[in-house]
Amino acid sequence: MPIEDDAGNNVFAFARDIGNYAAGYEAGINGFSWKSTRKAFDLLNGSIEPPTSQRPQRKGYDTGLK
C-alpha cells in the first residue's frame, strides 16, 4: 500500500506499518498525549520500538488529532 513519507514521497508500506499507523490514529482520536502513547507502545512491545515502527505510529497519531 502506498503511503506518503515525511518528505512527501510515496513509499510502499508493509502490513505492520499500517497496523502501527492505525494504533497511532486511535490514540490520537481518543485524545491521548504523544508521550503516554509512546510509553504504552513501548510497554506493549517489551522494549523501545525502533524508528521504523515509531514513524507510522506518529503519522497516524497526528492524523487522528485533526
Side-chain angles (χ1 to χ4, degrees):
M1 174 180 172
I3 188 169
E4 192 175 289
D5 67 10
D6 294 337
N9 301 312
N10 279 331
V11 296
F12 284 95
F14 294 97
R16 180 177 178 153
D17 298 327
I18 302 306
N20 284 329
Y21 180 93
Y25 181 81
E26 283 296 317
I29 65 169
N30 285 296
F32 293 102
S33 72
W34 178 242
K35 184 177 180 179
S36 65
T37 298
R38 283 290 329 125
K39 186 173 183 177
F41 289 156
D42 290 342
L43 286 171
L44 287 170
N45 188 52
S47 64
I48 296 174
E49 292 199 283
T52 55
S53 294
Q54 291 182 28
R55 278 193 287 284
Q57 289 166 352
R58 183 59 193 240
K59 190 162 187 63
Y61 178 83
D62 291 343
T63 301
L65 289 177
K66 296 177 184 176

